[in-house]
Amino acid sequence: MTVKIALSDVHKSFGPKDVLRGVNLEVETGQSVVVIGGSGSGKSVMLKSILGLLTPDNGSIKIDGRETVGMARNSRADIDHQIGMLFQNGALFDSLPVWKNVAFRAIQNDGMNETDARDLAVDALKQVELGPELLDLSPASLSGGMHKRVGLARAIASKPEIIFFDEPTTGLDPIMTDVINHLIRDCVQELGATTMTITHDMTSVRAIADKTALLYKGEIIWQGSTEALEASDDPFLNQFINGLAHGPIEVEGQQLDTAPNAEAI
Amino acid sequence: MNFLATIGEFFLAFFAQTGRLSVFVGQTLAAMLRPPIYFRIIGQQIIRIGYFSLPVVALTSFFTGGALAIQIYYGGNQFNSEAIVSSIVALGITRELGPVLGGLMVAGRVSAAIAAEIGTMRVTEQIDALTTLSTNPHKYLVAPRVIAATLCMPILALIADIIGIFGGFVVGTQSFGFNAAIYVQRTINFLTVDDVTSGLIKAAVFGFIIAMMGCYNGYYSKGGAQGVGRATTNAVVSASILILAANYLMTSLLFSS
Ligand SMILES: Nc1ncnc2c1ncn2[C@@H]1O[C@H](COP(=O)(O)OP(=O)(O)O)[C@@H](O)[C@H]1O
Ligand SMILES: [Mg+2]
């Protein structure tokens, strides 16, 4: 197995706030890695660092063995071209209809004509089980679940080798969550893509992960297969996967492991 | 001690802003010169920025031309007013009021709209999405708006000139009983090409400032809806102040020699 994405000792701070404090993570070609971690733990910052949207203060991020930290945007054009990204809130362009969103890269970069671009959009929408009646709608008129699915269609439309999903199921009902999880699973298998998914939803972990990594306090403190995850007795991991308020994990802005009523109010 | 620290912080923030703005302008100029150039988006922006600003600019300059005529008539020597009103209205409108008031009105409309649009794209990660889809936001978002505004403002100013002079003409002939043919003749005789072109050059610079401030403030907005609101306000305020400052500078450069 070759390593597709390798992060080593990645640091990122915003002012006095250290968000990433030495992240080490490898993703193999064709592997589906899921990163879990509490809200505000820096999951999106990590993804944006890999995408080159944020520049790490320190450390190395290699894609296909090429160092990307400090690379100018236009010298990483070929890397960008093989990456698809589903943003946390979809990030569809609301000035463009659905089909121009889905076929955006093809239209802008490859100069694809309108007919081909619409066909491409129809195909990509079909992969996320949406019909062609959506093509001319504006993103603002889509429901949350459809918005996510159109975002997913845009991410996979150019058949990328690497796909990132930032909280693909957050804010969706359980049925739509299951639909999205299966779509991700199927799309990935069909494309043979390498993926990294960020979530705090354990059903997503079970549905799509080959490997799971837990990000806590700016570091990956645990990683392993899904079986190892279920079997693990790591107290941090247990607290997270069972969704417990009490345990070793410090929730931002709150101290939960002090006994309740310890002090008079 | 604390006072010094505050001053220091202020200047640091000021230089940081200026530096960031300079880099932003540089990136935009680079994006404007290198292909791809998105002609379709430039066209759309010309309609949004130029065409839809027509009513605002026309009304502003009509009333300004009228008011100017009244001021000159009653403020000046009424005996010789027929000659003075037409020439000063023409001069004031073409050199100063047409481009400056037009610029300020368009700043209010367009800087705000651009900052709100690009700011919303920033906070909803649409700008990040553009980048990951291999599209340079400076080329796709900023450059077309700056090009469109820089092209449109001189045309708007020219229209403002004509309508402003017409406003003075209406007041002069209707309220003060000036002879229409003589008024027109005097205006034409008095105005030089330089009066008009100096105003149009100013207007082009104002157009650049208007779009640039809208894009810059939107591009760096953060913190959700409130941040976008702040970006919108800052865009209008900074564009207006820069227009007035640039106007002073250009007036002293264009007319001192
Ligand atoms: N551009 C930024 N500027 C300043 N702080 C940021 C920025 N992006 C993220 N942060 C901070 O970094 C922390 C981690 O954010 P994020 O990665 O979005 O969390 P999550 O794990 O929920 O995705 C948060 O506290 C956030 O406030
Ligand atoms: Mg996030």
Side-chain angles (χ1 to χ4, degrees):
Chain A
M1 269 289 153
T2 54
V3 176
K4 190 83 177 165
I5 306 168
L7 283 76
S8 66
D9 200 32
V10 175
H11 288 258
K12 180 72 189 176
S13 313
F14 296 102
K17 191 168 189 174
D18 298 327
V19 178
L20 302 181
R21 311 183 198 186
V23 172
N24 292 292
L25 185 64
E26 288 190 347
V27 184
E28 287 168 6
T29 305
Q31 196 177 34
S32 171
V33 169
V34 173
V35 178
I36 56 177
S39 297
S41 60
K43 303 182 301 294
S44 297
V45 169
M46 183 180 90
L47 257 198
K48 286 182 181 172
S49 302
I50 303 174
L51 289 162
L53 298 170
L54 292 172
T55 309
D57 302 326
N58 225 321
S60 137
I61 300 173
K62 287 185 176 155
I63 297 176
D64 280 330
R66 284 169 66 193
E67 180 61 57
T68 63
V69 174
M71 210 182 227
R73 198 82 229 171
N74 38 14
S75 36
R76 61 175 286 165
D78 53 329
I79 294 177
D80 288 339
H81 218 84
Q82 49 157 318
I83 294 180
M85 165 80 187
L86 173 60
F87 283 87
Q88 196 162 337
N89 295 305
L92 297 179
F93 305 125
D94 38 32
S95 58
L96 301 176
V98 164
W99 72 273
K100 282 193 178 169
N101 264 283
V102 174
F104 190 86
R105 192 199 290 271
I107 297 170
Q108 292 302 331
N109 289 295
D110 313 333
M112 188 180 271
N113 68 42
E114 202 161 301
T115 338
D116 291 348
R118 281 182 82 93
D119 288 347
L120 179 86
V122 171
D123 283 346
L125 287 175
K126 199 195 276 168
Q127 276 183 305
V128 298
E129 291 166 15
L130 291 173
E133 66 279 0
L134 256 55
L135 284 179
D136 294 301
L137 293 183
S138 135
S141 61
L142 302 175
S143 70
M146 278 201 206
H147 205 92
K148 276 270 162 72
R149 279 198 276 177
V150 173
L152 183 57
R154 184 174 71 181
I156 60 170
S158 58
K159 310 213 182 318
E161 289 173 32
I162 303 171
I163 315 175
F164 297 105
F165 303 99
D166 194 351
E167 305 201 12
T169 60
T170 302
L172 301 180
D173 64 64
I175 297 170
M176 190 50 75
T177 297
D178 199 49
V179 170
I180 296 276
N181 285 335
H182 279 94
L183 286 174
I184 290 178
R185 177 101 249 167
D186 295 347
C187 293
V188 168
Q189 276 173 355
E190 216 162 290
L191 292 168
T194 306
T195 65
M196 187 186 275
T197 308
I198 281 173
T199 188
H200 30 221
D201 177 4
M202 288 312 294
T203 63
S204 298
V205 175
R206 294 188 181 102
I208 59 187
D210 296 326
K211 175 166 114 175
T212 303
L214 174 62
L215 182 65
Y216 176 65
K217 288 206 163 172
E219 287 179 69
I220 301 289
I221 58 165
W222 186 93
Q223 53 182 304
S225 66
T226 310
E227 299 83 69
L229 174 82
E230 304 285 4
S232 166
D233 55 5
D234 185 291
F236 286 92
L237 206 55
N238 275 325
Q239 186 190 349
F240 195 88
I241 60 181
N242 296 315
L244 304 175
H246 297 271
I249 294 180
E250 287 171 25
V251 178
E252 234 182 346
Q254 206 178 343
Q255 276 196 312
L256 283 167
D257 47 359
T258 52
N261 299 330
E263 280 174 52
I265 296 161
Chain B
M1 196 57 225
N2 228 334
F3 179 64
L4 283 180
T6 313
I7 292 181
E9 261 168 42
F10 173 80
F11 275 100
L12 281 182
F14 177 77
F15 287 127
Q17 276 282 349
T18 314
R20 198 170 67 169
L21 177 60
S22 313
V23 172
F24 189 84
V25 172
Q27 284 171 325
T28 303
L29 292 177
M32 279 159 66
L33 298 175
R34 258 179 267 144
I37 292 169
Y38 298 106
F39 291 104
R40 246 174 100 150
I41 304 176
I42 296 175
Q44 287 166 359
Q45 292 302 325
I46 284 177
I47 295 186
R48 276 187 53 191
I49 295 172
Y51 183 71
F52 289 121
S53 295
L54 274 174
V56 175
V57 169
L59 285 171
T60 307
S61 62
F62 181 81
F63 289 122
T64 307
L68 194 58
I70 295 174
Q71 292 285 11
I72 297 161
Y73 182 74
Y74 289 113
N77 179 357
Q78 291 188 20
F79 175 67
N80 196 18
S81 62
E82 201 156 356
I84 301 227
V85 168
S86 62
S87 54
I88 295 189
V89 166
L91 205 70
I93 292 285
T94 54
R95 284 190 177 185
E96 288 290 328
L97 295 171
V100 173
L101 289 181
L104 291 176
M105 296 308 285
V106 176
R109 239 197 109 243
V110 171
S111 290
I114 292 178
E117 187 183 18
I118 295 188
T120 305
M121 292 188 74
R122 163 62 70 200
V123 301
T124 57
E125 297 182 316
Q126 291 179 53
I127 293 183
D128 286 341
L130 268 183
T131 309
T132 63
L133 290 165
S134 314
T135 302
N136 181 342
H138 280 278
K139 284 208 170 90
Y140 187 80
L141 294 175
V142 182
R145 285 166 174 76
V146 174
I147 292 172
T150 310
L151 290 178
C152 285
M153 265 313 293
I155 299 170
L156 287 171
L158 189 62
I159 293 167
D161 288 350
I162 295 166
I163 294 178
I165 289 173
F166 178 68
F169 169 83
V170 169
V171 170
T173 52
Q174 301 306 308
S175 304
F176 309 141
F178 296 165
N179 180 302
I182 295 176
Y183 191 102
V184 172
Q185 194 55 50
R186 284 211 163 106
T187 303
I188 292 171
N189 287 347
F190 189 78
L191 262 189
T192 65
V193 175
D194 283 353
D195 294 328
V196 180
T197 45
S198 69
L200 302 191
I201 293 170
K202 283 179 176 181
V205 174
F206 300 161
F208 183 84
I209 290 173
I210 288 166
M212 214 68 220
M213 286 299 109
C215 292
Y216 172 76
N217 284 288
Y219 196 84
Y220 286 106
S221 64
K222 52 174 176 249
Q226 212 177 13
V228 176
R230 213 164 26 227
T232 310
T233 311
N234 287 345
V236 177
V237 172
S238 57
S240 306
I241 291 173
L242 279 177
I243 284 175
L244 295 173
N247 181 57
Y248 170 75
L249 248 171
M250 283 189 288
T251 302
S252 51
L253 284 177
L254 288 167
F255 293 98
S256 65
S257 47

